[in-house]
Amino acid sequence: MQEKLIMYTSEETFIHRLSGLTKLISFLVLTSAVMYTYDIRVIVGILIFSFALMKVAKVKFSKVKTMFLYVFIFLLLNEVITFLFAPTEGVKIFGTSHVIFELSPRYVVTLEQIFYQTTKFLKYISVIPLGMIFLFTTNPSELASSLNRIGVHYKVAYALALTLRYFPDVQRIYVDISLSQQARGVDLSYKAKFKDRFKHALLILIPLIFSSLERVEKISNAMDLRGFGKHKTRTWYTTKKLRKDDYVALVISGLILLVSIFIGMFVNHGRFYNPFI
């Protein structure tokens, strides 16, 4: 069950040795680069770079395959909805129309639409490895201390650390409740009908919500009893200073963003890469 948990794992890699602040800024900068551009060449380049970083960080695909599957299904649904509500968006963007076949007078499948939706699909996919790397390689306490060092109030930094720590706890509680339900004869396996599995999964949410609220109350009471928030500053057990590797990572992330903007402004003269002209 531990393999399924999204949580920080300690490894001796280049990415693990980076400061939590460096990883947060790099994640935001690289995500901004992906969100800015609609050039499929840049997006594919960042996607390959992201998977290479996953390999460097030793993030096993077995740990994130479930998340990838859910996101993949969601994105496929998004692609279908996009075509249903905007079947000619690609034609409007690129200014040309290369018809492949017609489903109806309204729904005409064109190369422009396929290219536009493929670009958008890869655009969202490329962000997932970056998020997984950040979650699996960042110590929440160290990230909080780094944020506090650059001026973020320690209450905000501590709230972010607690949020990151809470992800694996919620997953663990969900798994425990699911196993308890199955021990009582509730079938949550793939042998059961999808409708029944969906209904039983919803029933798990009720005890999950109550257990989460109870846990939040315990944490809040414990922090109040220890006088959390009484002073303007606080000390940290875990902290990292920015080193040479951190500056290298920040420069690389910044260069990727600048390249993305440069290609959009001076090569494509816009956010979209148009191969049809």
Side-chain angles (χ1 to χ4, degrees), residues 36-39 93-94 116 119 264 268-274:
Y36 169 79
T37 185
Y38 272 88
D39 190 321
I93 291 172
F94 299 115
Y116 163 68
T119 302
N268 299 332
H269 302 290
R271 297 175 63 192
F272 289 89
Y273 164 61
N274 191 347

Side-chain angles (χ1 to χ4, degrees), residues 30-40 42-44 46-47 50 75 79 116-130 260 271-272:
L30 291 173
T31 302
S32 299
V34 174
M35 291 299 104
Y36 169 79
T37 185
Y38 272 88
D39 190 321
I40 195 169
V42 177
I43 293 171
V44 170
I46 296 177
L47 179 62
S50 301
L75 291 179
E79 292 290 292
Y116 163 68
Q117 293 197 208
T118 301
T119 302
K120 191 171 73 165
F121 180 82
L122 293 175
K123 186 183 181 75
Y124 295 140
I125 283 289
S126 60
V127 178
I128 301 172
L130 299 174
S260 175
R271 297 175 63 192
F272 289 89

Side-chain angles (χ1 to χ4, degrees), residues 9-270:
T9 53
S10 180
E11 297 280 356
E12 283 297 323
T13 69
F14 170 79
I15 297 177
H16 281 81
R17 290 192 294 270
L18 296 176
S19 166
L21 177 62
T22 300
K23 282 178 274 194
L24 177 61
I25 294 175
S26 298
F27 169 69
L28 294 176
V29 170
L30 291 173
T31 302
S32 299
V34 174
M35 291 299 104
Y36 169 79
T37 185
Y38 272 88
D39 190 321
I40 195 169
R41 299 168 297 180
V42 177
I43 293 171
V44 170
I46 296 177
L47 179 62
I48 295 172
F49 179 67
S50 301
F51 279 110
L53 288 180
M54 281 187 65
K55 187 175 181 63
V56 172
K58 296 181 180 179
V59 177
K60 297 179 181 178
F61 186 75
S62 59
K63 291 184 177 181
V64 298
K65 65 179 181 180
T66 302
M67 179 63 69
F68 267 100
L69 177 61
Y70 288 146
V71 174
F72 186 80
I73 294 173
F74 172 79
L75 291 179
L76 285 180
L77 181 62
N78 179 266
E79 292 290 292
V80 173
I81 293 175
T82 299
F83 182 74
L84 289 177
F85 287 93
T88 59
E89 186 66 22
V91 174
K92 294 177 183 177
I93 291 172
F94 299 115
T96 58
S97 178
H98 296 81
V99 178
I100 300 176
F101 59 88
E102 293 186 12
L103 297 175
S104 69
R106 171 177 168 79
Y107 296 106
V108 180
V109 179
T110 62
L111 283 175
E112 287 80 1
Q113 185 69 15
I114 292 176
F115 184 77
Y116 163 68
Q117 293 197 208
T118 301
T119 302
K120 191 171 73 165
F121 180 82
L122 293 175
K123 186 183 181 75
Y124 295 140
I125 283 289
S126 60
V127 178
I128 301 172
L130 299 174
M132 294 297 101
I133 293 168
F134 177 72
L135 288 175
F136 276 98
T137 64
T138 306
N139 187 321
S141 298
E142 191 272 318
L143 173 63
S145 64
S146 299
L147 290 174
N148 185 230
R149 282 177 52 232
I150 64 168
V152 177
H153 197 280
Y154 72 86
K155 291 183 179 179
V156 177
Y158 206 81
L160 179 60
L162 286 176
T163 301
L164 291 177
R165 288 185 181 278
Y166 200 58
F167 284 146
D169 288 339
V170 171
Q171 287 182 300
R172 190 178 295 109
I173 293 170
Y174 179 87
V175 171
D176 291 341
I177 296 173
S178 176
L179 292 175
S180 299
Q181 295 278 39
Q182 293 180 59
R184 294 182 176 89
V186 177
D187 190 2
L188 294 172
S189 67
Y190 290 102
K191 295 180 181 179
K193 295 181 180 179
F194 176 78
K195 181 180 68 174
D196 295 333
R197 283 191 286 122
F198 182 75
K199 181 177 67 175
H200 295 149
L202 287 179
L203 293 176
I204 295 176
L205 291 178
I206 298 175
L208 179 63
I209 291 172
F210 280 107
S211 63
S212 300
L213 292 175
E214 183 182 2
R215 188 175 181 83
V216 169
E217 184 179 6
K218 287 181 179 179
I219 294 174
S220 300
N221 291 336
M223 293 173 67
D224 287 338
L225 290 172
R226 288 164 175 77
F228 182 82
K230 181 180 179 181
H231 302 288
K232 293 183 179 180
T233 59
R234 63 161 292 161
T235 56
W236 300 90
Y237 288 112
T238 307
T239 185
K240 279 185 182 179
K241 294 182 179 180
L242 296 183
R243 300 180 300 177
K244 180 181 177 180
D245 291 345
D246 295 284
Y247 292 113
V248 170
L250 291 173
V251 169
I252 292 174
S253 301
L255 286 176
I256 292 175
L257 176 60
L258 290 177
V259 168
S260 175
I261 295 174
F262 177 83
I263 291 176
M265 294 181 64
F266 299 104
V267 178
N268 299 332
H269 302 290

